[in-house]
Amino acid sequence: MGVIADVIAAKLTAAFSPTRLEVVDDSDRHHGHAGHREGGESHFNLLIEAEAFAGKARVARQRLIFQALAEEMAGPVHALSIIAKAPGEA
């Protein structure tokens, strides 16, 4: 993983203690699109499973993640695709 992906993983781990966390740099697929940077780490796919999401709607889960990653979303990260689940959800 790159530096930004590592920061994303560290912040999400600290905020949510996930049972599963996958941070995938998807920047290569967005070459020539808005927000793309040479060197990547501008577009990410995120899969996170954490007890903190139990009983929360999808939008509420995403808001919690965006709050935890506010600095990255304001700077180097242009796009973040999120799948956020509670343990045991399909």
Side-chain angles (χ1 to χ4, degrees):
M1 282 198 300
V3 174
I4 296 169
D6 288 342
V7 168
I8 290 171
K11 285 188 173 185
L12 294 175
T13 297
F16 302 109
S17 300
T19 53
R20 182 175 177 194
L21 179 61
E22 297 176 19
V23 180
V24 177
D25 184 353
D26 193 35
S27 302
D28 287 344
R29 290 188 42 214
H30 299 276
H31 186 75
H33 296 174
H36 182 269
R37 290 192 337 259
E38 289 301 318
E41 293 204 286
S42 59
H43 295 70
F44 290 91
N45 293 328
L46 171 66
L47 171 61
I48 183 170
E49 179 180 284
E51 188 62 40
F53 301 133
K56 291 186 174 51
R58 182 176 57 91
V59 172
R61 295 171 185 194
Q62 292 176 350
R63 285 183 181 144
L64 290 171
I65 291 166
F66 283 126
Q67 286 173 355
L69 301 177
E71 186 176 337
E72 289 69 31
M73 295 308 299
V77 177
H78 176 73
L80 182 65
S81 172
I82 300 171
I83 297 174
K85 302 178 179 184
E89 289 182 346

